Amino acid sequence: MADAAQLVRDEIADLSRGDLEAVLAYYTDDVFFHDVTTEPCHGKEAMRDFMAVFYRGFPDLRIEIRNVIAGGRLVAAEYDLLGTHTGTFLEHPATGRAFRIPALSVYEQEADGPLFTRETVYYDAASLFGQLGLPVPAAPGAV
């Protein structure tokens, strides 16, 4: 089986190049993708749609890896997410402001192959929106 930590490094490199089709090739068709600041996505199409929102708002989106740790079928990647708000993001027009936030993704690899079945992404959305000078949206499920 392919080295899961290296697969994550490669997937992150493709993310930094903005190559969504290459990124999706690392995942099963029924992937469960959850950015904890919003509702989960089920399947590659939903994941593509979710990620496209970020690339429209931040065409220069890139990731700088700090650490990648693998054990069994799980991989954790700690990184900085960076970009400049030059496009529309969640209905907010471009501010031209740059951001840099720390983030963590946890990946789960399929039992009998190299593809990822799940990814959960953790980051501080308030920091992201604050750096962009935008109002912080309510958390999912908030009353």
Side-chain angles (χ1 to χ4, degrees):
M1 185 183 307
D3 175 5
Q6 186 58 52
L7 287 173
V8 166
R9 287 185 188 91
D10 294 344
E11 185 257 1
I12 288 173
D14 287 336
L15 275 168
S16 289
R17 281 193 294 279
D19 189 344
L20 290 183
E21 293 312 309
V23 168
L24 292 171
Y26 294 93
Y27 297 89
T28 58
D29 288 340
D30 62 346
V31 62
F32 179 86
F33 177 82
H34 189 195
D35 171 326
V36 298
T37 67
T38 188
E39 297 301 318
C41 300
H42 299 274
K44 283 185 178 181
E45 290 300 317
M47 186 176 175
R48 176 188 290 112
D49 293 346
F50 176 84
M51 295 175 107
V53 168
F54 277 86
Y55 285 101
R56 279 193 297 273
F58 312 99
D60 65 342
L61 188 69
R62 62 199 180 284
I63 298 170
E64 294 179 1
I65 296 173
R66 293 181 184 196
N67 294 296
V68 177
I69 302 162
R73 293 174 42 209
L74 298 177
V75 181
E78 177 189 26
Y79 52 89
D80 284 345
L81 192 59
L82 304 88
T84 308
H85 187 205
T86 57
T88 300
F89 175 63
L90 299 176
E91 301 181 13
H92 295 285
T95 63
R97 295 175 77 169
F99 76 93
R100 180 183 197 105
I101 57 170
L104 174 79
S105 285
V106 178
Y107 301 77
E108 184 174 346
Q109 199 171 32
E110 59 189 347
D112 57 352
L115 300 179
F116 295 108
T117 61
R118 181 182 190 101
E119 180 183 356
T120 305
V121 182
Y122 302 88
Y123 63 93
D124 181 1
S127 178
L128 170 63
F129 280 81
Q131 289 179 47
L132 299 176
L134 299 173
V136 178
V143 216

